[in-house]
Amino acid sequence: MGPLGQHLSWSHGYFSFPRLEGEIAPRMMFNGKEHLVWSLNNYLGLANDPEVRKADAEGAAEFGMAYPMGARMMSGNSKYHEALEQDLAAFVKKDDAFLLNYGYQGMLSIIDTLVDRNDVIVYDAESHACIIDGVRLHMGKRFVYKHNDIESCDKQLERATKLIEQTGGGILLITEGVFGMSGAQGKLKEIVALKNKYDFRLLIDDAHGFGTMGQTGAGTHEAQDCIEGVDIYFGTFAKSMAGIGAFVASTEEIVNYLRYNMRSQTFAKALPMPMVVGLKKRFELLKSKPELRNNLWTIATALQAGLRERGFDTGVTNTMVTPVFLQGDLNEATALTMDLRKNYGIFCSIVVYPVIPKGLIQLRLIPTASHSLADVELTLSAFTEVGEKLKAGTYKELKMAFA
């Protein structure tokens, strides 16, 4: 690789993705150069799968992009939507499910619908932004517990229990199956065990766990053997299913309540038919091809083991999400990232202050089933070199020119 220049320029860049028949390699064109990409939430490699693309095209050809013209409660329902809901419910081992047009606003609306001013929300401090925004809408009390800290969770449940004794409400505990930044699993089984002590319902956001975690890919609640203890299960299609939309699964009573009371679904258009048809094919492949999930874990295991062997800090991840923590300031973080892109052809996400503490750099790599072990070796070699440059102070001396 060529040496890093004294000045690096930054632009918004130009992305283009390959459209070759059968091509699923995680590569893209950025500023006119092909890059190996580690920042696509395409866990099972379905985004450009030939069968998926065929289903998408056939769905668009049959129904167009407009249908259904309306919200689910009005003119936007179809047998395709209902069939997918039934299949999803059975897969995550719940009685019923409800398709949602978007994941982010879906979670906001679920929280808004499930609780009123007499209820109390208890939630993990490092919950996804959609959960935080949903909690902000809550007109009642809310208590946050330290991230994945069961003792702290216990204390907040105790506070919440004392409060609902006065209000007559209930407690909704919200956490994630897989935390997308750190890669840590939520301590679902330990939280479920607290039901022996407190009365609450558990809602989990398993956006990263659906399709990737558990023996069948049903989710993190399957992986931790606590399916029954999770009252409301939320999964999105933007990760394993490489699509748009989400679903919520629970008892028939809760799902029906959500179906007719979620404002984001009652007053918005239903998930378009081409997407529903395409999701059906994606879901079939997710279930029928366990080798996709096996490939994902082969790559994730090799990547994480290789990073640790080379002295990199991958934090507490116990999932496929792979963070790499480095010491450095914002200027060094930007220079290092641009070095990876410009001179090594590697594109990955970067996280800096205020998301993480000052003085830390976090690179986040997302392994997929379509990566290869050769991709892993290429990346490990590049990370070794940029890690040495960072320690040597190379990036401190660079001036960044933004264009």
Side-chain angles (χ1 to χ4, degrees), residues 13-16 28-35:
Y14 173 76
F15 298 87
S16 67
M28 69 178 182
M29 297 300 293
F30 177 71
N31 283 346
K33 180 181 178 182
E34 184 179 86
H35 285 67

Side-chain angles (χ1 to χ4, degrees), residues 17 25-28 37-43 349 366-368 371:
F17 295 86
R27 284 170 169 75
M28 69 178 182
V37 187
W38 292 98
S39 60
L40 302 177
N41 290 322
N42 180 29
Y43 286 126
S349 301
I366 301 295
T368 73
H371 282 98

Side-chain angles (χ1 to χ4, degrees), residues 21 49-67 80 272-282 284:
E21 185 64 29
D49 183 273
E51 291 187 62
V52 167
R53 291 185 59 189
K54 183 173 182 287
D56 288 346
E58 290 176 350
E62 181 177 359
F63 297 102
M65 296 303 294
Y67 290 104
Y80 299 93
M273 287 301 301
M275 194 73 255
V276 176
V277 172
L279 287 170
K280 184 176 183 297
K281 174 55 68 176
R282 289 165 169 82
E284 288 175 5

Side-chain angles (χ1 to χ4, degrees), residues 288-300:
S288 65
K289 291 190 173 184
E291 62 268 25
L292 296 177
R293 191 168 60 259
N294 293 338
N295 289 346
L296 163 65
W297 280 99
T298 295
I299 297 301

Side-chain angles (χ1 to χ4, degrees), residues 59-121:
E62 181 177 359
F63 297 102
M65 296 303 294
Y67 290 104
M69 291 299 294
R72 289 290 299 280
M73 279 185 64
M74 303 297 289
S75 57
N77 197 32
S78 79
K79 62 181 181 182
Y80 299 93
H81 288 74
E82 292 181 354
L84 183 55
E85 286 172 339
Q86 292 168 9
D87 290 343
L88 287 165
F91 186 62
V92 299
K93 298 176 177 60
K94 296 299 175 187
D95 296 335
D96 200 1
F98 181 36
L99 281 187
L100 310 175
N101 46 24
Y102 281 104
Y104 197 105
Q105 71 173 26
M107 177 54 79
L108 264 73
S109 197
I110 289 169
I111 296 171
D112 181 54
T113 306
L114 287 176
V115 293
D116 66 22
R117 66 176 67 250
N118 296 313
D119 300 319
V120 180
I121 294 176

Side-chain angles (χ1 to χ4, degrees), residues 130-149:
C130 66
I131 296 174
I132 301 300
D133 285 353
V135 169
R136 285 173 174 170
L137 293 175
H138 179 43
M139 293 183 290
K141 291 289 185 179
R142 52 186 186 261
F143 299 128
V144 59
Y145 64 89
K146 296 176 184 177
H147 175 53
N148 260 352
D149 186 324

